[in-house]
Amino acid sequence: MANMTNTPESAGSNLMARALREGFYAGLVALGLFVLFVGLKTDQNILNELILVQRWGLLAIFVVIAAVGRFLSVAFIRPYLAERKAEKAAAPVKDANFFVRNFSMIAIAVLIVYPPIMVGLFGFQGSLKWVDNFGIQILIYVMLAWGLNIVVGLAGLLDLGYVAFYAVGAYSYALLSSHFGLSFWILLPMAGIFAALWGVILGFPVLRLKGDYLAIVTLAFGEIIRLVLINWTAVTKGTFGISGIAKASVFGIWSFDVSATNNFAKVFGLPMSSSYYKIFLFYLILALCLLTAFVTIRLRRMPIGRAWEALREDEIACRSLGINTVTTKLTAFATGAMFGGFAGSFFAVRQGFVSPESFVFLESAIILAIVVLGGMGSLIGIAIAATLMIGGTELLREMEFLKHIFGPDFTPELYRMLIFGLAMIIVMVWKPRGFVGSREPTAFLRERKSVSGSFTKEGHG
Amino acid sequence: MSDNLLHVKDVETYYGNIRALGGVEVEVKRGEIVCMIGANGAGKSTLMMTICGSPQARTGSVTFEGQDITRMPTHEIARLRIAQSPEGRRIFPRMTVYENLQMGASLDNLKYFNEDVEKIFTLFPRLKERQSQRGGTLSGGEQQMLSIGRALMARPKLLLLDEPSLGLAPLIVKGIFAAIKKLNEEEGLTVFLVEQNAFAALKLSHRGYVMVNGKVTMSGSGRELLANPEVRAAYLEGGHH
Ligand SMILES: Nc1ncnc2c1ncn2[C@@H]1O[C@H](COP(=O)(O)OP(=O)(O)OP(=O)(O)O)[C@@H](O)[C@H]1O
Ligand SMILES: [Mg+2]
């Protein structure tokens, strides 16, 4: 600290000078880098001759972006971030504001009024996209991620084959409903039970495995289930999949089959539209999600939930406290799988069609990514992550204007994984523990006066 | 029932082909504090873990209250009320102090939790101050207190302590040893501890054992061992007194 005597003004002008200088250099570097790649382009003309196209304008844009970006970063963004950091470190821990404190309640309220609002804004036909592609799609992933969260986030068992239970649930519903004509409301719990059973079946051989080894075996398990679905054509019809799966009804009272006498629209004398069914499905998956959250929150406070979390932290300590780690692990697998099974049967009902293609490894990876991004163990964080990731990729389909920038051949969906990956890297750099990284304790002493909140914050690392 | 709480008889324990314990014989009577001293790598921690069934003894037997527990799984041994504060403390780092203590009370499903947790907080007031802090962010000494506190929450008949003084300031060691003594005198808690701090441990204990290379080479009352020239030469020279 040699120049402690610097006044703030001179420090400010120093900063500006440095920013200008660095901006200039960044421009130079960009010019050097891009002059051959961007400034000049080889092309073929109509006579099949190689010609050199000069694109000085584009090159100038690149250079200006680099120079101005660098300038802004050095002069404004970095000092701002540093200041924010210092402020944060200095400020006492604030009480969360109303919105943050009641986030989950507000979110649930918004979700409940979401379909009517969409119908109001876009009409029945126009709301389909928002309720189905965004609402239902996101909620399915929220549910799957919350289910996987029990296995990975709470019990700390890295499961890369979670989609297998999703598949078990979907095929349970598809097969049993088309062969035996059983209704959704009977098959939903059955699909959960079947999936839980498979969770235990997977659990047994992997009891002794941990970390990466466990991950590999679960990965293989997921692939085995998928390959069985493909090859056991007598039952599953292989890659053709099972179609014409029966729709769910409102507890058997109203049906959504067009031909049925108790058709929802007919009963209420409404015009025919497929959007009633979608709205019904939206509320159905919302209810399933809330069930998952409710069960997870309750279990965390019960002995089994505490045992899961302890198991994640230290297996040996668990055993020496009298916890049976075998049953603890199996119940974690079974419970997580059960919710996967529920989600699977919902998926089958929504699509009306299942095929092995829906249950590839990529799905497991996406669900796991959502859990990790959300902050393992945090329900709210995971819901936010699912909304951003799934909603974001759905939004990509909407971005027609990108075609004007990148040309008419540009299909934004193709860049989905690229953007997904980029987003993950950014989030992980910015928040290494995920959106909600600190674990919420499940128990307190009733009198909590002696301890200030700042003690409960976890160190970064 | 005899007053013999724990009997380790001719126990041999292996890690793969490496023999860590070669025929160990140890007895702990009800209401005693017994300590085991020995150099690094002598096999003290292995003995503690063998009592808890992980790893299990290859030959010999471990008897607790007349029941053979040699081949019992660890969690069932714990359910017989053998609680351990193991080497490395092994607290749950992401859980709060309070939750760690809850985990200790798993056996009774928190039935006596409220009264017991008060006791622990009187014993270690530091833990009360830090109850909402995450275990992993506690200081070494606080973690040691938490580890012992968590073991006590199980209402043990036998408390196993593996180097409770490891890495702690002398004043804190004193506090912890005083706490052990108090529990022993007031509640009749039986304690078997392993220690490097031979002087303090032998002074605290009714009886002691010395382990060398996986075998017990000496035993006797705490005072006898403290006076023994061999013990003094090997474990006490250059120490306190
Ligand atoms: N998991 C293991 N695998 C192989 N060898 C082991 C294992 N654990 C301990 N050992 C070996 O067994 C012997 C006894 O180890 P132990 O941990 O019981 O010693 P200790 O008396 O507790 O020593 P310290 O005072 O350093 O804690 C040592 O030689 C050690 O290297
Ligand atoms: Mg040791």
Side-chain angles (χ1 to χ4, degrees):
Chain A
M1 287 271 153
N3 45 4
M4 288 253 273
T5 49
N6 264 1
T7 58
E9 298 94 85
S10 77
S13 66
N14 267 349
L15 185 69
M16 277 302 143
R18 211 184 83 213
L20 276 174
R21 204 168 53 236
E22 290 201 15
F24 178 70
Y25 288 141
L28 270 187
V29 170
L31 180 68
L33 271 177
F34 293 122
V35 66
L36 290 179
F37 297 116
V38 179
L40 299 171
K41 184 182 172 217
T42 54
D43 214 343
Q44 275 175 332
N45 66 6
I46 315 166
L47 304 170
N48 259 356
E49 292 164 329
L50 206 59
I51 53 162
L52 208 54
V53 185
Q54 304 180 4
R55 301 190 293 185
W56 303 126
L58 197 60
L59 178 65
I61 292 175
F62 272 66
V63 172
V64 167
I65 287 176
V68 172
R70 182 75 194 177
F71 172 76
L72 288 179
S73 154
V74 172
F76 300 108
I77 298 173
R78 275 206 239 148
Y80 172 72
L81 287 181
E83 200 173 298
R84 276 269 306 272
K85 213 171 180 179
E87 251 172 41
K88 233 185 189 168
V93 182
K94 287 188 297 264
D95 268 340
N97 63 33
F98 175 81
F99 180 74
V100 172
R101 261 183 292 129
N102 298 306
F103 182 80
S104 29
M105 283 303 141
I106 294 172
I108 292 171
V110 167
L111 283 172
I112 288 175
V113 297
Y114 177 77
I117 290 178
M118 287 302 136
V119 171
L121 285 177
F122 304 103
F124 272 109
Q125 212 49 40
S127 73
L128 266 184
K129 183 178 86 186
W130 296 101
V131 173
D132 192 22
N133 294 3
F134 284 88
I136 295 178
Q137 185 75 3
I138 290 172
L139 286 176
I140 287 183
Y141 279 92
V142 169
M143 169 146 190
L144 285 170
W146 279 352
L148 182 62
N149 175 52
I150 291 173
V151 185
V152 179
L154 295 187
L157 303 163
L158 186 51
D159 184 351
L160 288 184
Y162 189 65
V163 79
F165 307 122
Y166 190 35
V168 168
Y171 272 86
S172 301
Y173 178 71
L175 291 172
L176 293 176
S177 95
S178 42
H179 287 302
F180 302 106
L182 294 175
S183 91
F184 175 74
W185 296 103
I186 294 171
L187 289 177
L188 178 73
M190 279 175 76
I193 291 168
F194 285 140
L197 212 63
W198 278 100
V200 174
I201 291 171
L202 164 69
F204 261 111
V206 302
L207 277 173
R208 293 179 172 279
L209 303 178
K210 251 188 265 177
D212 4 19
Y213 302 101
L214 176 64
I216 292 171
V217 176
T218 52
L219 173 75
F221 179 78
E223 285 304 284
I224 289 171
I225 295 269
R226 190 172 66 88
L227 291 175
V228 168
L229 291 179
I230 290 177
N231 291 305
W232 195 11
T233 44
V235 174
T236 64
K237 305 214 182 94
T239 46
F240 291 115
I242 301 170
S243 51
I245 298 171
K247 286 179 176 172
S249 63
V250 188
F251 304 109
I253 305 172
W254 299 301
S255 144
F256 292 96
D257 276 332
V258 186
S259 52
T261 47
N262 59 345
N263 179 288
F264 183 80
K266 278 186 204 158
V267 170
F268 290 91
L270 298 166
M272 283 291 174
S273 162
S274 59
S275 52
Y276 308 134
Y277 186 51
K278 295 295 181 201
I279 292 171
F280 165 67
L281 286 181
F282 179 88
Y283 285 117
L284 181 57
I285 185 72
L286 182 61
L288 285 172
C289 281
L290 292 180
L291 175 77
T292 315
F294 177 75
V295 170
T296 307
I297 292 169
R298 286 306 296 265
L299 284 178
R300 268 195 74 201
R301 304 212 160 115
M302 285 166 45
I304 183 66
R306 284 201 301 269
W308 287 340
E309 290 200 77
L311 185 71
R312 173 190 66 198
E313 315 246 305
D314 196 321
E315 201 173 328
I316 295 175
C318 272
R319 270 194 229 116
S320 69
L321 293 174
I323 292 167
N324 185 344
T325 51
V326 171
T327 50
T328 305
K329 278 186 194 181
L330 289 182
T331 46
F333 273 120
T335 315
M338 180 181 75
F339 288 118
F342 288 159
S345 65
F346 176 84
F347 174 80
V349 139
R350 175 215 187 192
Q351 301 297 91
F353 168 73
V354 292
S355 81
E357 255 168 70
S358 308
F359 308 107
V360 292
F361 168 68
L362 187 63
E363 291 295 318
S364 291
I366 289 176
I367 300 164
L368 183 67
I370 290 171
V371 174
V372 174
L373 284 179
M376 300 222 247
S378 155
L379 294 181
I380 290 179
I382 290 170
I384 294 173
T387 310
L388 290 184
M389 288 295 148
I390 304 305
T393 52
E394 287 296 321
L395 266 183
L396 271 183
R397 286 185 224 277
E398 309 292 316
M399 298 202 173
E400 289 298 315
F401 68 89
L402 289 177
K403 288 201 162 118
H404 300 302
I405 303 177
F406 295 102
D409 302 334
F410 184 77
T411 32
E413 292 103 291
L414 296 182
Y415 292 84
R416 195 175 139 219
M417 276 300 128
L418 194 74
I419 292 172
F420 202 99
L422 202 65
M424 277 191 65
I425 293 172
I426 291 170
V427 172
M428 285 288 117
V429 168
W430 168 57
K431 285 208 164 219
R433 288 167 186 279
F435 290 129
V436 182
S438 61
R439 183 183 158 274
E440 193 66 28
T442 56
F444 310 95
L445 197 64
R446 273 172 296 283
E447 21 142 13
R448 294 185 59 211
K449 50 187 190 303
S450 51
V451 182
S452 93
S454 54
F455 283 135
T456 62
K457 266 257 164 76
E458 209 164 344
H460 253 269
Chain B
M1 205 184 284
S2 76
D3 60 349
N4 221 350
L5 191 62
L6 177 78
H7 190 179
V8 177
K9 193 163 169 251
D10 284 334
V11 158
E12 292 193 1
T13 302
Y14 287 75
Y15 292 111
N17 289 324
I18 305 163
R19 191 172 75 169
L21 295 182
V24 171
E25 179 88 26
V26 166
E27 270 184 351
V28 179
K29 295 189 174 52
R30 243 174 253 281
E32 268 189 325
I33 302 180
V34 176
C35 80
M36 169 75 71
I37 58 177
N40 290 125
K44 307 180 297 292
S45 300
T46 306
L47 176 61
M48 287 293 195
M49 295 311 289
T50 305
I51 294 170
C52 293
S54 113
Q56 290 183 348
R58 191 171 288 183
T59 61
S61 70
V62 181
T63 319
F64 181 72
E65 291 192 304
Q67 184 180 1
D68 187 353
I69 59 168
T70 323
R71 297 276 169 267
M72 234 184 226
T74 305
H75 66 270
E76 281 177 26
I77 293 177
R79 286 174 190 181
L80 301 174
R81 309 283 162 170
I82 300 182
Q84 178 172 205
S85 160
E87 185 164 45
R89 295 157 189 151
R90 290 197 175 273
I91 55 165
F92 301 116
R94 298 234 296 161
M95 294 185 164
T96 63
V97 167
Y98 197 73
E99 287 174 302
N100 265 278
L101 292 173
Q102 271 196 337
M103 290 311 301
S106 301
L107 286 184
D108 294 310
N109 206 0
L110 306 186
K111 202 159 36 167
Y112 312 106
F113 179 74
N114 287 332
E115 65 186 275
D116 285 0
V117 85
E118 275 313 314
K119 250 194 264 173
I120 302 293
F121 284 160
T122 344
L123 200 61
F124 301 119
R126 212 29 180 277
L127 291 184
K128 181 163 191 172
E129 273 168 45
R130 307 257 148 181
Q131 55 177 293
S132 306
Q133 191 175 336
R134 287 171 209 276
T137 62
L138 293 175
S139 81
E142 289 160 353
Q143 291 194 8
Q144 189 66 62
M145 293 175 204
L146 179 56
S147 177
I148 297 173
R150 189 181 65 184
L152 286 171
M153 289 301 290
R155 303 201 145 197
K157 290 177 181 161
L158 173 64
L159 178 66
L160 304 176
L161 300 172
D162 197 335
E163 301 205 31
S165 74
L166 187 73
L168 303 187
L171 206 63
I172 299 194
V173 174
K174 233 181 187 162
I176 287 186
F177 278 26
I180 296 170
K181 197 173 179 82
K182 189 170 158 219
L183 284 168
N184 173 261
E185 284 171 358
E186 290 178 8
E187 319 214 342
L189 179 69
T190 312
V191 181
F192 181 36
L193 78 158
V194 156
E195 258 304 332
Q196 293 284 350
N197 188 345
F199 182 73
L202 287 172
K203 242 176 67 176
L204 171 76
S205 307
H206 301 113
R207 290 190 302 114
Y209 292 90
V210 177
M211 183 179 273
V212 177
N213 278 336
K215 287 195 172 115
V216 171
T217 55
M218 245 182 279
S219 65
S221 74
R223 202 163 303 144
E224 272 167 28
L225 288 176
L226 269 176
N228 184 306
E230 268 181 74
V231 174
R232 295 184 76 89
Y235 304 106
L236 296 173
E237 289 305 294
H240 331 254
H241 64 275

